[in-house]
Amino acid sequence: MEQFEVVGGARLAGEATVAGAKNSVLKVMAASLLAEGTTTLSNVPDIGDVPIMSEVLRGLGAEVAGHAPDITITVPEELGFEADYQHVRRIRGSVCVLGPLLARAGRARVALPGGDAIGSRALDLHVMGLERLGAVFDNAHGYLVAEAGQLTGAQIWLDFPSVGATENILMAAVLAKGTTTIDNAAREPEIVDLCEMLAAMGAQIGGIGTSTLQIEGVDRLRPAPHDVVPDRIVAGTWAFAAAMTQGEIRVRGAGHEHLDIVLDKLAQTGASITTYDDGFVVNCTSRPRAVDVVTLPYPGFPTDLQPMAIALNSVADGVAFVTENIFEGRFMFIDELVRLAADVRTDGHHAIVRGRERLSGAPVRATDIRAGAALVLAGVVADGVTTIADAFHIDRGYQHFVETLTELGAQIRRLGADETLL
Ligand code: UD1
């Protein structure tokens, strides 16, 4: 397994360019299944999850060609209907083929993704919504098996604005007969991106960007080219990197409008934020002040940036209170951060972080994509050498992470499998 090795002490400065969002590209790739023919996607990020999702689509009979930032997906008239465990367990986001398969093939057999290092991640809301549209589910041999004749529009209330459930129900409803309303829908920018692609394909969707989506089913959709929305979580990671290292980073390619609350939190740490049409600059000239954070569905503070908030607070001036409301397992990486001498204590879904002047380098392990990125940033502000094992997690969601950090002035290198055995 590859590791990253970081020598601490750098102030990060320069530019970072942000590509398309991981959490959007996987969904718009799945949405391409809804129309026979060739879909062209641009601004596709060069990340590990895209080739895995491509394998899922190939397993369903689609052809995927090209390479980030441009790929094409050619979908046959007759689709397969099985997404196997080998791929689904590697990227849980691949369960978003469930809605398109039910809409187009009338049936689906999708492996249950199993446990996840950030929490249990149930699928009950996905199933409830699709059942309301007329699908019948069974759970056999580790697979969710669903059958549907013609899906029929329905009124659906979500107990929680789940991103994945909203997407699956939406992608089934666009080809259902009649009207579907999804109330308490998630409204993350990646959902807006998916809605815009579906609308360009001919779907009738009202309320885009709000928590009530009204979908008027149509008989057919046609392929439409789509440019993936920039990755706000990657942009936010660079924003935190600047503040944590008392540096200055210009983030290009990602609008600040999807990061309002994040940039406001960074301003509270003492960083100065300047916004531009194509991005923003975060500049921090002194030790950041501690800042409290509470994660919530969009437009609240994103759970995917919670590890960065804890990492920043671990070197900030003061004490911060961080509350995680989305994934119960998302504090698991804190044990790794504590190996770097961070002073963090948790009680349920609350964490108290007492800032230290400096962290102390040590070997740690990435437990998921975002935790991995946060541990690398912690390594940059730690004395000495930090190695981050299981770096594949970071490669799943961050394009050219080591190269970008090197350009920003970090001392970081990727150790191959042979070197890590030494
Ligand atoms: C997506 C993102 C992830 C992000 C999360 C929240 C992708 C590939 N991943 O994950 O990066 O952190 O949104 O912004 O897009 N839940 C249920 N039942 C369900 C579905 C969800 O109880 O049927 C719960 C989950 O266990 C979790 C919470 O709802 O506690 C949020 O999950 P959800 O919004 O669905 O996140 P994902 O779509 O899995």
Side-chain angles (χ1 to χ4, degrees):
M1 286 290 184
E2 289 191 337
Q3 300 192 10
F4 293 168
E5 180 190 85
V6 186
V7 181
R11 170 182 186 266
L12 300 184
E15 281 191 12
T17 301
V18 174
K22 172 184 88 72
N23 288 352
S24 186
V25 72
L26 304 177
K27 321 308 168 61
V28 295
M29 287 175 79
S32 71
L33 296 172
L34 288 164
E36 183 191 344
T38 301
T39 297
T40 304
L41 299 178
S42 51
N43 204 26
V44 170
D46 189 4
I47 55 171
D49 273 12
V50 168
I52 303 174
M53 190 63 179
S54 300
E55 284 306 309
V56 173
L57 298 191
R58 288 190 185 108
L60 296 167
E63 279 173 35
V64 186
H67 190 273
D70 299 299
I71 63 170
T72 59
I73 301 167
T74 302
V75 175
E77 188 186 348
E78 290 276 313
L79 272 184
F81 61 93
E82 178 165 327
D84 68 21
Y85 182 58
Q86 188 198 341
H87 298 118
V88 175
R89 79 186 163 85
R90 292 175 69 195
I91 47 167
R92 198 178 186 286
S94 58
V95 294
C96 65
V97 297
L98 190 57
L101 288 184
L102 281 173
R104 277 268 276 127
R107 57 182 170 160
R109 196 165 176 270
V110 176
L112 287 162
D116 195 298
I118 62 174
S120 72
R121 302 182 89 173
L123 292 173
D124 55 317
L125 298 171
H126 301 236
V127 170
M128 177 278 294
L130 295 168
E131 279 178 344
R132 287 275 170 94
L133 298 180
V136 178
F137 276 84
D138 193 8
N139 184 340
H141 308 297
Y143 280 77
L144 261 185
V145 184
E147 297 275 345
Q150 167 70 58
L151 294 169
T152 311
Q155 171 86 43
I156 296 161
W157 290 271
L158 294 179
D159 289 345
F160 181 88
S162 153
V163 170
T166 302
E167 290 163 342
N168 255 328
I169 298 165
L170 174 66
M171 287 193 274
V174 287
L175 287 177
K177 199 172 165 50
T179 308
T180 298
T181 306
I182 312 175
D183 243 320
N184 200 22
R187 53 196 179 110
E188 270 65 4
E190 295 75 29
I191 298 215
V192 172
D193 197 43
L194 174 62
C195 287
E196 283 171 357
M197 168 153 164
L198 292 169
M201 292 169 77
Q204 304 285 320
I205 307 172
I208 295 176
T210 74
S211 50
T212 305
L213 293 171
Q214 292 119 4
I215 303 122
E216 201 62 53
V218 296
D219 292 339
R220 278 187 102 71
L221 295 173
R222 54 185 183 271
H226 187 72
D227 196 50
V228 179
V229 69
D231 198 313
R232 67 194 162 100
I233 305 301
V234 172
T237 302
W238 296 126
F240 270 96
M244 270 177 83
T245 64
Q246 299 176 40
E248 177 169 2
I249 299 180
R250 175 158 187 157
V251 180
R252 283 192 191 273
H256 54 86
E257 61 278 5
H258 294 156
L259 283 166
D260 283 342
I261 200 164
V262 171
L263 295 178
D264 184 59
K265 287 286 169 193
L266 289 173
Q268 289 175 44
T269 70
S272 75
I273 318 286
T274 315
T275 57
Y276 298 92
D277 286 348
D278 70 337
F280 55 87
V281 174
V282 178
N283 181 14
C284 192
T285 52
S286 56
R287 187 178 175 199
R289 289 191 294 272
V291 65
D292 292 346
V293 163
V294 178
T295 67
L296 281 172
Y298 190 82
F301 190 95
T303 174
D304 286 351
L305 288 174
Q306 174 261 102
M308 291 64 174
I310 292 198
L312 176 139
N313 278 312
S314 68
V315 289
D317 186 8
V319 179
F321 199 66
V322 177
T323 302
E324 169 59 52
N325 287 315
I326 311 295
F327 289 111
E328 78 276 8
R330 206 132 211 192
F331 280 162
M332 272 171 49
F333 83 102
I334 288 175
D335 287 345
E336 301 295 317
L337 196 62
V338 166
R339 289 185 48 71
L340 300 179
D343 184 351
V344 189
R345 280 204 279 160
T346 59
D347 182 5
H349 63 131
H350 301 292
I352 293 180
V353 191
R354 292 186 171 79
R356 293 221 150 121
E357 288 271 353
R358 275 203 103 59
L359 301 178
S360 175
V364 292
R365 188 175 65 82
T367 47
D368 70 81
I369 304 174
R370 310 302 169 189
L375 288 166
V376 171
L377 297 186
V380 176
V381 293
D383 284 330
V385 178
T386 297
T387 52
I388 298 95
D390 290 351
F392 71 91
H393 282 297
I394 304 170
D395 292 329
R396 283 189 49 203
Y398 287 88
Q399 166 175 308
H400 311 150
F401 197 56
V402 169
E403 293 77 1
T404 308
L405 276 164
T406 303
E407 280 164 22
L408 292 169
Q411 277 195 63
I412 179 168
R413 63 184 186 124
R414 183 186 287 272
L415 302 181
D418 328 344
E419 288 168 279
T420 60
L421 290 176
L422 296 176

PDB file of all heavy atoms in Angstrom, residues 356-381:
ATOM      1  N   ARG A 356      -2.751  23.540  20.035  1.00  0.00           N
ATOM      2  CA  ARG A 356      -1.350  23.494  20.451  1.00  0.00           C
ATOM      3  C   ARG A 356      -0.547  24.343  19.473  1.00  0.00           C
ATOM      4  O   ARG A 356      -0.930  24.478  18.314  1.00  0.00           O
ATOM      5  CB  ARG A 356      -0.822  22.064  20.343  1.00  0.00           C
ATOM      6  CG  ARG A 356      -1.470  21.124  21.345  1.00  0.00           C
ATOM      7  CD  ARG A 356      -0.388  20.206  21.893  1.00  0.00           C
ATOM      8  NE  ARG A 356      -0.735  19.828  23.243  1.00  0.00           N
ATOM      9  CZ  ARG A 356      -0.901  18.578  23.636  1.00  0.00           C
ATOM     10  NH1 ARG A 356      -0.739  17.595  22.789  1.00  0.00           N
ATOM     11  NH2 ARG A 356      -1.196  18.317  24.894  1.00  0.00           N
ATOM     12  N   GLU A 357       0.600  24.834  19.919  1.00  0.00           N
ATOM     13  CA  GLU A 357       1.458  25.622  19.018  1.00  0.00           C
ATOM     14  C   GLU A 357       1.861  24.792  17.803  1.00  0.00           C
ATOM     15  O   GLU A 357       1.840  25.263  16.676  1.00  0.00           O
ATOM     16  CB  GLU A 357       2.732  26.070  19.759  1.00  0.00           C
ATOM     17  CG  GLU A 357       2.509  27.158  20.795  1.00  0.00           C
ATOM     18  CD  GLU A 357       2.631  28.559  20.212  1.00  0.00           C
ATOM     19  OE1 GLU A 357       3.024  28.688  19.036  1.00  0.00           O
ATOM     20  OE2 GLU A 357       2.308  29.506  20.943  1.00  0.00           O
ATOM     21  N   ARG A 358       2.259  23.533  18.062  1.00  0.00           N
ATOM     22  CA  ARG A 358       2.702  22.662  16.965  1.00  0.00           C
ATOM     23  C   ARG A 358       2.302  21.239  17.244  1.00  0.00           C
ATOM     24  O   ARG A 358       2.181  20.832  18.399  1.00  0.00           O
ATOM     25  CB  ARG A 358       4.238  22.690  16.856  1.00  0.00           C
ATOM     26  CG  ARG A 358       4.745  23.836  16.026  1.00  0.00           C
ATOM     27  CD  ARG A 358       6.117  23.584  15.463  1.00  0.00           C
ATOM     28  NE  ARG A 358       6.124  23.212  14.046  1.00  0.00           N
ATOM     29  CZ  ARG A 358       5.640  23.955  13.073  1.00  0.00           C
ATOM     30  NH1 ARG A 358       5.023  25.093  13.315  1.00  0.00           N
ATOM     31  NH2 ARG A 358       5.727  23.564  11.819  1.00  0.00           N
ATOM     32  N   LEU A 359       2.112  20.480  16.180  1.00  0.00           N
ATOM     33  CA  LEU A 359       1.914  19.045  16.334  1.00  0.00           C
ATOM     34  C   LEU A 359       3.270  18.357  16.190  1.00  0.00           C
ATOM     35  O   LEU A 359       4.277  19.009  15.896  1.00  0.00           O
ATOM     36  CB  LEU A 359       0.920  18.544  15.285  1.00  0.00           C
ATOM     37  CG  LEU A 359      -0.472  19.197  15.343  1.00  0.00           C
ATOM     38  CD1 LEU A 359      -1.362  18.661  14.240  1.00  0.00           C
ATOM     39  CD2 LEU A 359      -1.128  18.988  16.714  1.00  0.00           C
ATOM     40  N   SER A 360       3.276  17.056  16.368  1.00  0.00           N
ATOM     41  CA  SER A 360       4.534  16.310  16.355  1.00  0.00           C
ATOM     42  C   SER A 360       4.400  15.120  15.393  1.00  0.00           C
ATOM     43  O   SER A 360       3.525  14.263  15.577  1.00  0.00           O
ATOM     44  CB  SER A 360       4.818  15.843  17.785  1.00  0.00           C
ATOM     45  OG  SER A 360       5.940  15.028  17.790  1.00  0.00           O
ATOM     46  N   GLY A 361       5.233  15.105  14.353  1.00  0.00           N
ATOM     47  CA  GLY A 361       5.119  14.101  13.285  1.00  0.00           C
ATOM     48  C   GLY A 361       5.173  12.672  13.787  1.00  0.00           C
ATOM     49  O   GLY A 361       5.889  12.370  14.744  1.00  0.00           O
ATOM     50  N   ALA A 362       4.420  11.779  13.150  1.00  0.00           N
ATOM     51  CA  ALA A 362       4.364  10.364  13.533  1.00  0.00           C
ATOM     52  C   ALA A 362       3.746   9.579  12.373  1.00  0.00           C
ATOM     53  O   ALA A 362       3.127  10.185  11.487  1.00  0.00           O
ATOM     54  CB  ALA A 362       3.506  10.193  14.795  1.00  0.00           C
ATOM     55  N   PRO A 363       3.865   8.253  12.378  1.00  0.00           N
ATOM     56  CA  PRO A 363       3.139   7.467  11.372  1.00  0.00           C
ATOM     57  C   PRO A 363       1.647   7.429  11.709  1.00  0.00           C
ATOM     58  O   PRO A 363       1.293   7.176  12.870  1.00  0.00           O
ATOM     59  CB  PRO A 363       3.739   6.059  11.491  1.00  0.00           C
ATOM     60  CG  PRO A 363       4.850   6.158  12.468  1.00  0.00           C
ATOM     61  CD  PRO A 363       4.698   7.414  13.245  1.00  0.00           C
ATOM     62  N   VAL A 364       0.795   7.701  10.730  1.00  0.00           N
ATOM     63  CA  VAL A 364      -0.659   7.629  10.930  1.00  0.00           C
ATOM     64  C   VAL A 364      -1.273   6.917   9.723  1.00  0.00           C
ATOM     65  O   VAL A 364      -0.596   6.661   8.733  1.00  0.00           O
ATOM     66  CB  VAL A 364      -1.309   9.031  11.098  1.00  0.00           C
ATOM     67  CG1 VAL A 364      -0.890   9.678  12.399  1.00  0.00           C
ATOM     68  CG2 VAL A 364      -0.999   9.925   9.911  1.00  0.00           C
ATOM     69  N   ARG A 365      -2.572   6.687   9.806  1.00  0.00           N
ATOM     70  CA  ARG A 365      -3.269   5.942   8.747  1.00  0.00           C
ATOM     71  C   ARG A 365      -4.509   6.719   8.313  1.00  0.00           C
ATOM     72  O   ARG A 365      -5.277   7.178   9.163  1.00  0.00           O
ATOM     73  CB  ARG A 365      -3.685   4.581   9.326  1.00  0.00           C
ATOM     74  CG  ARG A 365      -4.246   3.604   8.349  1.00  0.00           C
ATOM     75  CD  ARG A 365      -4.496   2.263   9.025  1.00  0.00           C
ATOM     76  NE  ARG A 365      -5.524   2.339  10.056  1.00  0.00           N
ATOM     77  CZ  ARG A 365      -6.833   2.288   9.805  1.00  0.00           C
ATOM     78  NH1 ARG A 365      -7.287   2.145   8.581  1.00  0.00           N
ATOM     79  NH2 ARG A 365      -7.697   2.366  10.792  1.00  0.00           N
ATOM     80  N   ALA A 366      -4.672   6.867   7.010  1.00  0.00           N
ATOM     81  CA  ALA A 366      -5.891   7.516   6.487  1.00  0.00           C
ATOM     82  C   ALA A 366      -7.054   6.551   6.659  1.00  0.00           C
ATOM     83  O   ALA A 366      -6.967   5.407   6.224  1.00  0.00           O
ATOM     84  CB  ALA A 366      -5.708   7.862   5.016  1.00  0.00           C
ATOM     85  N   THR A 367      -8.135   7.015   7.293  1.00  0.00           N
ATOM     86  CA  THR A 367      -9.279   6.122   7.481  1.00  0.00           C
ATOM     87  C   THR A 367     -10.342   6.340   6.400  1.00  0.00           C
ATOM     88  O   THR A 367     -11.163   5.477   6.151  1.00  0.00           O
ATOM     89  CB  THR A 367      -9.918   6.343   8.871  1.00  0.00           C
ATOM     90  OG1 THR A 367     -10.070   7.757   9.066  1.00  0.00           O
ATOM     91  CG2 THR A 367      -9.037   5.778   9.974  1.00  0.00           C
ATOM     92  N   ASP A 368     -10.365   7.499   5.787  1.00  0.00           N
ATOM     93  CA  ASP A 368     -11.236   7.755   4.639  1.00  0.00           C
ATOM     94  C   ASP A 368     -10.646   8.928   3.852  1.00  0.00           C
ATOM     95  O   ASP A 368      -9.606   9.472   4.242  1.00  0.00           O
ATOM     96  CB  ASP A 368     -12.693   8.017   5.071  1.00  0.00           C
ATOM     97  CG  ASP A 368     -12.871   9.350   5.777  1.00  0.00           C
ATOM     98  OD1 ASP A 368     -12.963  10.377   5.090  1.00  0.00           O
ATOM     99  OD2 ASP A 368     -12.894   9.374   7.022  1.00  0.00           O
ATOM    100  N   ILE A 369     -11.306   9.310   2.788  1.00  0.00           N
ATOM    101  CA  ILE A 369     -10.743  10.327   1.877  1.00  0.00           C
ATOM    102  C   ILE A 369     -10.433  11.629   2.617  1.00  0.00           C
ATOM    103  O   ILE A 369      -9.322  12.155   2.566  1.00  0.00           O
ATOM    104  CB  ILE A 369     -11.749  10.663   0.750  1.00  0.00           C
ATOM    105  CG1 ILE A 369     -12.151   9.410  -0.011  1.00  0.00           C
ATOM    106  CG2 ILE A 369     -11.178  11.720  -0.192  1.00  0.00           C
ATOM    107  CD1 ILE A 369     -13.241   9.645  -1.043  1.00  0.00           C
ATOM    108  N   ARG A 370     -11.450  12.149   3.292  1.00  0.00           N
ATOM    109  CA  ARG A 370     -11.293  13.491   3.880  1.00  0.00           C
ATOM    110  C   ARG A 370     -10.398  13.457   5.121  1.00  0.00           C
ATOM    111  O   ARG A 370      -9.617  14.369   5.355  1.00  0.00           O
ATOM    112  CB  ARG A 370     -12.666  14.079   4.239  1.00  0.00           C
ATOM    113  CG  ARG A 370     -13.674  14.016   3.108  1.00  0.00           C
ATOM    114  CD  ARG A 370     -13.221  14.729   1.864  1.00  0.00           C
ATOM    115  NE  ARG A 370     -14.101  14.430   0.739  1.00  0.00           N
ATOM    116  CZ  ARG A 370     -13.859  14.764  -0.518  1.00  0.00           C
ATOM    117  NH1 ARG A 370     -12.740  15.405  -0.848  1.00  0.00           N
ATOM    118  NH2 ARG A 370     -14.708  14.446  -1.467  1.00  0.00           N
ATOM    119  N   ALA A 371     -10.541  12.389   5.910  1.00  0.00           N
ATOM    120  CA  ALA A 371      -9.662  12.244   7.070  1.00  0.00           C
ATOM    121  C   ALA A 371      -8.221  12.171   6.597  1.00  0.00           C
ATOM    122  O   ALA A 371      -7.312  12.759   7.194  1.00  0.00           O
ATOM    123  CB  ALA A 371     -10.022  10.980   7.842  1.00  0.00           C
ATOM    124  N   GLY A 372      -7.995  11.466   5.488  1.00  0.00           N
ATOM    125  CA  GLY A 372      -6.648  11.331   4.947  1.00  0.00           C
ATOM    126  C   GLY A 372      -6.072  12.686   4.582  1.00  0.00           C
ATOM    127  O   GLY A 372      -4.928  13.021   4.935  1.00  0.00           O
ATOM    128  N   ALA A 373      -6.869  13.504   3.889  1.00  0.00           N
ATOM    129  CA  ALA A 373      -6.390  14.833   3.488  1.00  0.00           C
ATOM    130  C   ALA A 373      -6.099  15.682   4.726  1.00  0.00           C
ATOM    131  O   ALA A 373      -5.096  16.407   4.785  1.00  0.00           O
ATOM    132  CB  ALA A 373      -7.434  15.509   2.603  1.00  0.00           C
ATOM    133  N   ALA A 374      -6.960  15.586   5.739  1.00  0.00           N
ATOM    134  CA  ALA A 374      -6.760  16.380   6.965  1.00  0.00           C
ATOM    135  C   ALA A 374      -5.481  15.948   7.681  1.00  0.00           C
ATOM    136  O   ALA A 374      -4.743  16.777   8.222  1.00  0.00           O
ATOM    137  CB  ALA A 374      -7.970  16.231   7.894  1.00  0.00           C
ATOM    138  N   LEU A 375      -5.196  14.639   7.667  1.00  0.00           N
ATOM    139  CA  LEU A 375      -3.974  14.156   8.325  1.00  0.00           C
ATOM    140  C   LEU A 375      -2.726  14.642   7.586  1.00  0.00           C
ATOM    141  O   LEU A 375      -1.711  14.945   8.210  1.00  0.00           O
ATOM    142  CB  LEU A 375      -3.989  12.626   8.419  1.00  0.00           C
ATOM    143  CG  LEU A 375      -4.982  12.063   9.445  1.00  0.00           C
ATOM    144  CD1 LEU A 375      -5.180  10.555   9.242  1.00  0.00           C
ATOM    145  CD2 LEU A 375      -4.513  12.344  10.878  1.00  0.00           C
ATOM    146  N   VAL A 376      -2.812  14.734   6.264  1.00  0.00           N
ATOM    147  CA  VAL A 376      -1.675  15.284   5.511  1.00  0.00           C
ATOM    148  C   VAL A 376      -1.457  16.744   5.920  1.00  0.00           C
ATOM    149  O   VAL A 376      -0.323  17.162   6.198  1.00  0.00           O
ATOM    150  CB  VAL A 376      -1.918  15.175   3.989  1.00  0.00           C
ATOM    151  CG1 VAL A 376      -0.848  15.955   3.221  1.00  0.00           C
ATOM    152  CG2 VAL A 376      -1.908  13.709   3.554  1.00  0.00           C
ATOM    153  N   LEU A 377      -2.536  17.515   5.994  1.00  0.00           N
ATOM    154  CA  LEU A 377      -2.381  18.929   6.390  1.00  0.00           C
ATOM    155  C   LEU A 377      -1.828  19.023   7.816  1.00  0.00           C
ATOM    156  O   LEU A 377      -0.987  19.887   8.119  1.00  0.00           O
ATOM    157  CB  LEU A 377      -3.718  19.674   6.296  1.00  0.00           C
ATOM    158  CG  LEU A 377      -4.333  19.767   4.893  1.00  0.00           C
ATOM    159  CD1 LEU A 377      -5.574  20.641   4.907  1.00  0.00           C
ATOM    160  CD2 LEU A 377      -3.325  20.292   3.875  1.00  0.00           C
ATOM    161  N   ALA A 378      -2.274  18.125   8.675  1.00  0.00           N
ATOM    162  CA  ALA A 378      -1.733  18.117  10.042  1.00  0.00           C
ATOM    163  C   ALA A 378      -0.236  17.819   9.996  1.00  0.00           C
ATOM    164  O   ALA A 378       0.548  18.418  10.746  1.00  0.00           O
ATOM    165  CB  ALA A 378      -2.472  17.084  10.891  1.00  0.00           C
ATOM    166  N   GLY A 379       0.168  16.920   9.092  1.00  0.00           N
ATOM    167  CA  GLY A 379       1.588  16.607   8.941  1.00  0.00           C
ATOM    168  C   GLY A 379       2.388  17.829   8.504  1.00  0.00           C
ATOM    169  O   GLY A 379       3.532  18.013   8.916  1.00  0.00           O
ATOM    170  N   VAL A 380       1.767  18.680   7.697  1.00  0.00           N
ATOM    171  CA  VAL A 380       2.468  19.888   7.223  1.00  0.00           C
ATOM    172  C   VAL A 380       2.728  20.849   8.396  1.00  0.00           C
ATOM    173  O   VAL A 380       3.718  21.576   8.391  1.00  0.00           O
ATOM    174  CB  VAL A 380       1.661  20.587   6.101  1.00  0.00           C
ATOM    175  CG1 VAL A 380       2.331  21.893   5.678  1.00  0.00           C
ATOM    176  CG2 VAL A 380       1.507  19.678   4.883  1.00  0.00           C
ATOM    177  N   VAL A 381       1.869  20.839   9.407  1.00  0.00           N
ATOM    178  CA  VAL A 381       2.084  21.743  10.551  1.00  0.00           C
ATOM    179  C   VAL A 381       2.675  21.012  11.760  1.00  0.00           C
ATOM    180  O   VAL A 381       2.637  21.513  12.878  1.00  0.00           O
ATOM    181  CB  VAL A 381       0.784  22.488  10.965  1.00  0.00           C
ATOM    182  CG1 VAL A 381       0.366  23.461   9.876  1.00  0.00           C
ATOM    183  CG2 VAL A 381      -0.342  21.516  11.273  1.00  0.00           C
TER     184      VAL A 381
END
